[in-house]
């Protein structure tokens, strides 16, 4: 009997010590605090702003990758913009689109939409302002564009104003 009582008491003590109360885990939303974009008349902070140097022989070439969460109220699934903006050289601080030297693509991924979960857009008219960091450090970019949706190689739909600014650290 003492043995059963001892095992019961030991089980209670181990259970009490093993069940420590901690604060509930809250997954932080990643925001880079590196810029924002204006989509459909609403400003959204960027979650990511990164760059690569696509031409290793040209240290002034850039390809920027931006991501913004544009989820609307009531949407439970991800709804994001993935923006790719590139240039052959940031030495010309103002560049106009369309131009062969400026690459742009905007992808809208809306997992809330059954009909159109993935849409792509290109700039038909716009300007990009670069504040280059030639020797490294903080590089700033601002843009104003008129986008059109693309289906295949054709642009369709109405003009969509799109603007934003962001910073990246050049190493």
């Amino acid at each position: 009997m003492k043995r059963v009582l001892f095992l019961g008491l030991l089980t209670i003590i181990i259970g009490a010590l093993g069940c420590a109360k901690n604060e509930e885990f809250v997954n932080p939303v990643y925001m880079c605090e590196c810029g924002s974009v204006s989509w459909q008349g609403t400003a959204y902070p960027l979650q990511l702003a990164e760059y690569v140097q696509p031409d290793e022989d040209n240290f002034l070439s850039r390809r920027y990758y931006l991501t913004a969460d544009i989820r609307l109220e009531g949407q439970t699934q991800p709804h994001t913009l993935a923006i790719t903006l590139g240039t052959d050289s940031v030495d010309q601080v103002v560049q106009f689109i369309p131009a062969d030297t400026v690459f742009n693509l905007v992808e809208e991924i809306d997992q809330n939409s059954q009909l159109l979960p993935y849409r792509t857009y290109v700039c038909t008219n716009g300007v990009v302002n670069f504040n280059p960091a030639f020797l490294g450090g903080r590089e700033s970019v601002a843009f104003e564009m008129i986008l059109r949706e693309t289906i295949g190689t054709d642009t369709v739909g109405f003009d969509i104003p799109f603007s934003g600014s962001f910073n990246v650290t050049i190493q």
Side-chain angles (χ1 to χ4, degrees), residues 94-154:
V94 176
Q95 297 183 27
F96 297 95
I97 303 173
D100 293 338
T101 59
V102 180
F103 175 81
N104 66 88
L105 176 65
V106 176
E107 300 167 292
E108 179 182 8
I109 300 102
D110 184 1
Q111 294 182 12
N112 299 284
S113 174
Q114 296 290 326
L115 184 60
L116 296 167
Y118 177 76
R119 301 167 82 175
T120 58
Y121 305 87
V122 295
C123 177
T124 58
N125 193 2
V127 63
V128 182
N129 295 299
F130 298 96
N131 186 1
F134 293 116
L135 302 175
R138 182 178 156 156
E139 183 164 284
S140 301
V141 180
F143 59 88
E144 290 189 32
M145 302 178 178
I146 300 297
L147 300 179
R148 296 284 298 269
E149 186 173 0
T150 59
I151 297 180
T153 58
D154 297 326

Side-chain angles (χ1 to χ4, degrees), residues 1-13:
M1 180 74 173
K2 286 185 180 181
R3 187 174 180 189
V4 172
L5 184 60
F6 175 74
L7 288 175
L9 185 58
L10 185 61
T11 303
I12 291 172
I13 291 172

